[in-house]
Structures are given as structure tokens and as C-alpha cells.
Amino acid sequence: MKKLFTLLVAALCCVGMWAQNWTPLFNGKNLKGWKQVSGNAKYVAKDGCIIGTCVSDGTVNSFLATKATYSDFILEFEFKMDEVQNSGVQFRSHLSDQGIVYGYQYEFDPSARAWSAGIYDESRRGWLYPLTFHQEARTAFLHGNWNTGRIECIGHRIRTFLNGVLVADVIDDKDSEGFIALQVHAPWHNTRQIGSSISWKNIRICTENPAEYCLKTAPVPQINKIGNTLSERQVAEGWKLLWDGKTTEGWGSAKGEGLPFPEKGWSIEGDELRVAENGGAESTNGGDIMTVDKYTNFWLSVDFFLTKGANSGIKYFINPELYPSDASAIGCEFQILDDKEHPDAKLGVAGNRTLGSLYDLIRADKEEAYFRMGQWNTAWIIVQDNHVEHWLNGVKVLEYERNNQMFNALVQCSKFRERANFGNHKSGHILLQDHGNEVHYQNIMIKEL
């Protein structure tokens, strides 16, 4: 009986697999169903493959797109590429009135960075899921061989796979449908790409009940890009929004004056919290804002967008009653700064006032964090008792121990030397700084540890 039951279960599983209805997107012979929508790369059908070749007069990225659009689906394909190339597969993508392709991209990256199957938002927001968030997946790409890619788009959730490895897991609501396209990158950043090629084959899609056929696998880090919301998984993991994206609830002025937000200087624009430009004057317009509650052990996550030359900061262990100030509130600071344009980056000691640094104390080592001006970036501050870490875009850029002789020595060499017990308090408020420059914030969330 037990053997019979096992056979029945196996048979049912096979029926489920056979029931999946795949539709080929490439007939193996010609480019029927596809059209080139951008760029000058050459696409041909040959030997059962679509081959895209980079040309010398390429000034924009090239895309061969499906004539049809797709919403929820599972897409599978195989690809092989010359390793000087950079390429990808667009999905749920669109063509702007200016002829620019934009939308989600499954990345092909044979470089040492190794972000293949990461998710990039072409010509819009940039990286949604760089592999800094999932380092182990960087080894999934097979150099010089055919690779198998898989994309699962179900509602707002996108998952990517490379050679059977789950690489990325993103929640996003920018696009619910669009075309699929094969990219050949223009050679404007690497002339060695001229004449190089990428091949795709066995391109197929499932659009009938695709949710039933999503692969069951161990979870990987999930990134939620829907502004100021928490996914089911984030809620289950204990995350809470510090800012609801709509009101000033839970926040107030660091000076304890007036409205929860000062009447000027800060605004809620769409799903963003913005501090206004005021000529770089420190805390003279809206002033700093901070959480009503204090926090002890926590993992804080904040998305930020810097405008050119801007300065701001995310501060923690803020206790205004201990350090009264007419300027910015006093506390440990994750520096938010345009290092190239703001003069503060050249002050301090050995770069300890640059982006991501513990302001005026410890310089951030952010070479691998791939910060990008003009795009959203993510700051993490993790505090576990006396151990503190700063992370930028999924990369740890510094860590330190406080309440010890070394930390106190750093303080004595900083501008905070006159502030008794600086940085050693058990708990404090979390603060966003008004330094008189326009900076945008969203997705401000915390998990208490």
C-alpha cells in the first residue's frame, strides 16, 4: 500500500509538470514575432539561435523586442556571450516617445563584478537588486558556456534564476506588463565590445496560470521597492515602517518646537519625504526631524536620493536634552553627502566626512557599494549593544565598537570632544538632518533586535 501511494504521488507530480503550457517565443528559423526597437546592433537567426552583434556605430543600446506584451508569466531562455559584452533580457518593458527602452532587465554580467541575473531598471531607476544583496549567487554564471535563465513575474513579485539558482527576489509595482527584449549593449563605454556577440536560444514563456509553476526553493534576501510599504515577508521578519509615507505621525522637530514637522523646510511629495534647498545653511530652515520614540538595538533601513552637491545625514543615539544645540542635533551620524561636489568631503581626517562614514570619526570604505548619484541608494545602520555597522547598497562600509578606550579616543580627536559620553548612550532617537540642501528619503523602516 505504501509503495502504491508513493507511485500515485509521483504520478500526480508528473501530471502537474506536464500540464504546464509553454509557448516558444523563437521558432529557431527567423525573427518572426520580433522587431528591433532601438540601436544599430545586428540581429540574425542562425543555427537555432538569435545572435546579436555589437557594431562600431552603436551610440545607444540595441533591443530586439517581442511584438506582443506580457503581464504575469514564467520566461525561460538560454544564453551565451563573448565576455567583453554586457547584455540582458528586458521584461515588462516599454518604448518611450523619445525611442528609449525602459523597464526591468535581467542582467548578463560576465565581468569580475558578477551580477548576472540581478535586476536593473533600464533608463529609469538603475539597480533594483544588485548582487551585493546576495553575494553567494555571484558564482552561478558559467563562463564560456551556455547559461539557463528564468524569470518569474507574478503580480508585484519578480524572481530571477540562473542555472537553477534563485538569484533575486523583488517586490515592485512600476510595471505590470510590457514587452520582452534582447539587449546588445552599445560600445560607448568599452570599444572592445565592437564585433562581440550574444546568442539566445530555447526562449519560451508560460502565461497560463504561471503562479502554479513557480519553483519552490529556499528564500533569498528580498527587496521591496514599493514606496513606504512592507511585504508579507518583511512583516513576518519583524520590520516596521518608521514613516508611513503620508503623514508626520511618529516624527517631530528635534528642537521640540511647533508642529510635528516644521512648517517649512520639509515636505511630503508623492511617496517621498524631502528636505528643501536653503543654500546649505545648517538647520536654519525646517531644522532636523527625529522619531518620537527612542531605540536601543535595531536594524534601520533608509532609501535616499541626493541632488547635486547635497549634504544631509541619518543620525542615531540622539538625546537633545543632553546636548542642547541651536544647529543640528548632536549624535552619531551616517553621513549623506555628494562627495564629488560638496566641500565637506575634503574636511575632517582621511575622508571621515564622506558618504557612509561615521561623521568626523571613521571613514567608510565604499568601493564595492556602487553608489550612484541621480538614483536611489539604501543606507543600513545596524546596532547590537556596543557593536555598530554602516552598510551602503548591501555592502558593509564600516563597523565599530563603542563604549571602549579606542572609540573614546576617536571622539577626543573629533569635533565632539566636548560632548560628554558622546556615542556611548544606551538608546536614542533616530534623526534626519536638514543641512540646507535638497535630499529625498523614503522606505524608512526599522527592525528592533
Side-chain angles (χ1 to χ4, degrees):
M1 179 63 72
K2 183 176 180 181
K3 183 176 181 180
L4 177 60
F5 177 77
T6 302
L7 290 172
L8 286 171
V9 170
L12 288 171
C13 289
C14 289
V15 168
M17 292 174 63
W18 293 333
Q20 185 170 5
N21 186 8
W22 290 103
T23 300
L25 291 184
F26 171 50
N27 62 19
K29 301 176 182 179
N30 54 49
L31 299 181
K32 182 179 180 180
W34 297 80
K35 61 180 179 180
Q36 189 161 347
V37 295
S38 178
N40 299 320
K42 304 301 182 184
Y43 292 90
V44 297
K46 183 179 179 181
D47 299 328
C49 301
I50 296 177
I51 302 173
T53 302
C54 182
V55 297
S56 60
D57 59 345
T59 56
V60 296
N61 294 338
S62 298
F63 296 93
L64 182 70
T66 58
K67 294 180 180 178
T69 60
Y70 301 91
S71 180
D72 285 9
F73 60 84
I74 298 173
L75 177 71
E76 288 189 349
F77 51 88
E78 295 178 54
F79 67 96
K80 185 178 181 180
M81 61 195 302
D82 292 339
E83 300 212 0
V84 296
Q85 254 295 344
N86 174 282
S87 181
V89 171
Q90 295 289 135
F91 56 100
R92 287 185 176 175
S93 292
H94 305 270
L95 189 67
S96 73
D97 293 339
Q98 293 74 38
I100 303 298
V101 170
Y102 65 94
Y104 304 121
Q105 181 185 125
Y106 177 113
E107 174 79 1
F108 298 174
D109 181 12
S111 74
R113 185 181 63 177
W115 283 4
S116 290
I119 301 176
Y120 185 77
D121 193 2
E122 178 80 10
S123 298
R124 191 163 50 182
R125 292 172 293 171
W127 284 102
L128 305 183
Y129 199 106
L131 265 61
T132 53
F133 292 114
H134 187 194
Q135 295 280 359
E136 296 83 355
R138 296 172 69 185
T139 61
F141 179 80
L142 301 176
H143 293 271
N145 292 300
W146 284 97
N147 290 266
T148 300
R150 178 184 174 99
I151 303 169
E152 297 178 352
C153 283
I154 311 296
H156 294 327
R157 191 176 188 187
I158 302 168
R159 296 198 305 167
T160 62
F161 296 77
L162 178 58
N163 297 320
V165 176
L166 175 58
V167 175
D169 187 348
V170 167
I171 308 294
D172 192 61
D173 63 350
K174 283 293 183 185
D175 297 297
S176 60
E177 58 82 31
F179 58 67
I180 292 163
L182 311 179
Q183 183 198 58
V184 175
H185 208 287
W188 46 266
H189 74 306
N190 182 0
T191 56
R192 293 175 59 218
Q193 291 180 346
I194 297 171
S196 64
S197 64
I198 308 100
S199 299
W200 295 266
K201 67 179 182 180
N202 297 329
I203 308 170
R204 63 180 188 171
I205 196 167
C206 170
T207 58
E208 295 182 15
N209 304 315
E212 295 182 11
Y213 306 106
C214 289
L215 297 181
K216 293 185 173 23
T217 183
V220 299
Q222 184 182 82
I223 302 299
N224 178 12
K225 303 302 291 188
I226 302 177
N228 311 307
T229 66
L230 295 174
S231 69
E232 291 182 6
R233 182 165 158 192
Q234 287 173 313
V235 172
E237 291 174 348
W239 288 94
K240 297 179 180 178
L241 288 176
L242 273 186
W243 180 55
D244 63 15
K246 300 175 182 178
T247 71
T248 63
E249 184 177 355
W251 291 78
S253 169
K255 297 180 180 179
E257 301 170 349
L259 299 171
F261 282 5
E263 294 181 353
K264 59 181 181 178
W266 291 87
S267 62
I268 298 173
E269 306 287 341
D271 59 359
E272 300 173 12
L273 177 60
R274 298 185 182 183
V275 57
E277 177 65 38
N278 190 36
E282 185 176 356
S283 196
T284 60
N285 193 20
D288 301 338
I289 60 172
M290 69 180 190
T291 59
V292 172
D293 295 330
K294 290 186 176 184
Y295 297 90
T296 302
N297 294 319
F298 57 86
W299 182 347
L300 174 70
S301 180
V302 181
D303 289 350
F304 65 93
F305 183 101
L306 275 170
T307 60
K308 185 176 180 180
N311 184 353
S312 183
I314 306 167
K315 297 186 180 183
Y316 50 105
F317 301 136
I318 297 295
N319 292 278
E321 67 278 9
L322 299 178
Y323 306 130
S325 175
D326 292 331
S328 290
I330 304 300
C332 295
E333 178 179 355
F334 184 117
Q335 172 78 309
I336 302 294
L337 192 78
D338 179 353
D339 290 346
K340 291 184 178 181
E341 298 292 337
H342 198 284
D344 211 28
K346 297 178 177 61
L347 302 179
V349 178
N352 65 5
R353 294 189 182 184
T354 57
L355 173 68
S357 296
L358 176 62
Y359 177 75
D360 211 47
L361 277 82
I362 304 174
R363 178 184 67 86
D365 180 7
K366 54 182 180 292
E367 182 178 356
E368 299 297 321
Y370 295 98
F371 168 79
R372 291 196 174 193
M373 279 295 298
Q375 295 181 1
W376 285 94
N377 295 269
T378 300
W380 291 346
I381 300 169
I382 302 175
V383 176
Q384 186 67 63
D385 298 323
N386 290 324
H387 183 78
V388 183
E389 299 175 0
H390 287 191
W391 292 65
L392 178 63
N393 295 331
V395 174
K396 183 168 34 175
V397 295
L398 68 82
E399 61 184 324
Y400 65 95
E401 301 289 332
R402 60 199 188 102
N403 276 302
N404 60 30
Q405 186 175 2
M406 182 176 291
F407 180 78
N408 293 337
L410 285 171
V411 174
Q412 287 305 307
C413 294
S414 76
K415 64 188 293 184
F416 306 114
R417 64 179 66 88
E418 302 299 326
R419 306 294 182 173
N421 208 35
F422 175 87
N424 288 324
H425 303 292
K426 182 179 180 180
S427 63
H429 302 277
I430 291 166
L431 176 147
L432 300 179
Q433 184 189 43
D434 167 23
H435 208 294
N437 298 133
E438 183 181 345
V439 179
H440 308 180
Y441 292 101
Q442 67 174 193
N443 297 330
I444 306 170
M445 60 186 70
I446 197 166
K447 178 166 71 170
E448 296 191 70
L449 305 175

